[in-house]
Amino acid sequence: MPLTIEAVLFDADGVIQRPTVDWRAALSSFVPAGSADEFVLDLMKSERPSLVGKGDFEEAVVEVLARWGSSAQAASVLDLWRRFEAVPTVVEWIQELRARGVGCHLATNQQAYRRAIMHDERHYGDWFDQTFYSCDLGLAKPDPAYFRAILTAIDRPASSVLFIDDNAANVDSARSVGLHAEIYDLVDGTDALRALLERYGLAVSA
């Protein structure tokens, strides 16, 4: 029996959108040379609670800057979270799939600050049947409960759903609850994504 995919879950960063600046280098400029890696790790750690809707990321940034004695303004750091763009070809393919009756959903870990940029300012909701931001669900990848919550919301069996993400841990977690899941990163080019979709019977235009 041929495989039938009824829905596709797309990660955001690295799959449908990419940064427009070297954000790691930009973050490094806010602290003395030699401590950049530790600063970035601290900032990423401070973001985790807000990814599941706990705490305020903007307040966390202020606290991290104070902890590091940085004179940078929080607004300058937060601005880096705005520096991204969706890839038109990928967005077009998502619309092609939707037009053929394949459910296409956004499945992404984001805090409320960035969710507002993506959803409220740039209207990502117009591109998908449903959007699943971790800060709204109170669950984040790679927690298997994140995927179970989505399956309940879209009312589809795991065996009919394909998940695409650039993070191996997220893909492994999705597979653990029965989804088809594949690693893809925009750095590999959109042809690689088209080939991936075609392997699952989801042909899109060249």
Side-chain angles (χ1 to χ4, degrees):
M1 181 180 294
L3 178 66
T4 300
I5 295 297
E6 299 177 349
V8 184
L9 309 181
F10 291 88
D11 176 40
D13 296 296
V15 175
I16 68 166
Q17 65 190 28
R18 56 191 169 200
T20 55
V21 296
D22 184 340
W23 64 271
R24 209 171 258 278
L27 286 173
S28 300
S29 69
F30 297 131
V31 292
S35 57
D37 288 345
E38 291 82 0
F39 172 70
V40 171
L41 287 174
D42 193 11
L43 195 56
M44 296 301 101
K45 183 178 179 180
S46 77
E47 184 185 32
R48 290 175 191 165
S50 59
L51 292 177
V52 292
K54 298 177 180 178
D56 185 293
F57 181 56
E58 297 178 58
E59 293 177 1
V61 169
V62 171
E63 293 173 1
V64 171
L65 290 173
R67 186 157 57 242
W68 282 83
S70 174
S71 60
Q73 296 296 309
S76 298
V77 177
L78 289 167
D79 182 65
L80 296 175
W81 267 255
R82 305 183 64 90
R83 303 302 175 182
F84 63 92
E85 62 183 7
V87 176
T89 298
V90 179
V91 176
E92 289 171 9
W93 288 345
I94 290 169
Q95 306 322 304
E96 285 185 29
L97 294 174
R98 292 179 69 197
R100 298 209 304 269
V102 178
C104 292
H105 312 284
L106 182 66
T108 180
N109 284 353
Q110 303 291 343
Q111 22 77 2
Y113 175 79
R114 199 144 185 261
R115 178 205 184 281
I117 298 168
M118 294 169 63
H119 202 77
D120 301 334
E121 294 183 18
R122 305 192 188 181
H123 306 291
Y124 274 39
D126 294 345
W127 303 342
F128 297 93
D129 293 288
Q130 295 189 63
T131 55
F132 299 99
Y133 296 91
S134 60
C135 61
D136 292 337
L137 289 180
L139 298 163
K141 300 176 285 186
D143 186 344
Y146 174 86
F147 298 104
R148 294 192 187 100
I150 292 177
L151 290 173
T152 297
I154 67 175
D155 193 24
R156 291 290 183 273
S159 59
S160 72
V161 179
L162 171 64
F163 170 62
I164 303 173
D165 198 290
D166 63 339
N167 182 288
N170 296 341
V171 166
D172 289 343
S173 178
R175 288 174 178 168
S176 77
V177 299
L179 281 77
H180 300 280
E182 299 289 344
I183 295 176
Y184 166 73
D185 194 309
L186 277 167
V187 298
D188 297 326
T190 54
D191 284 348
L193 177 58
R194 186 174 67 245
L196 187 164
L197 291 169
E198 289 178 348
R199 291 202 303 273
Y200 283 87
L202 302 170
V204 291
S205 60

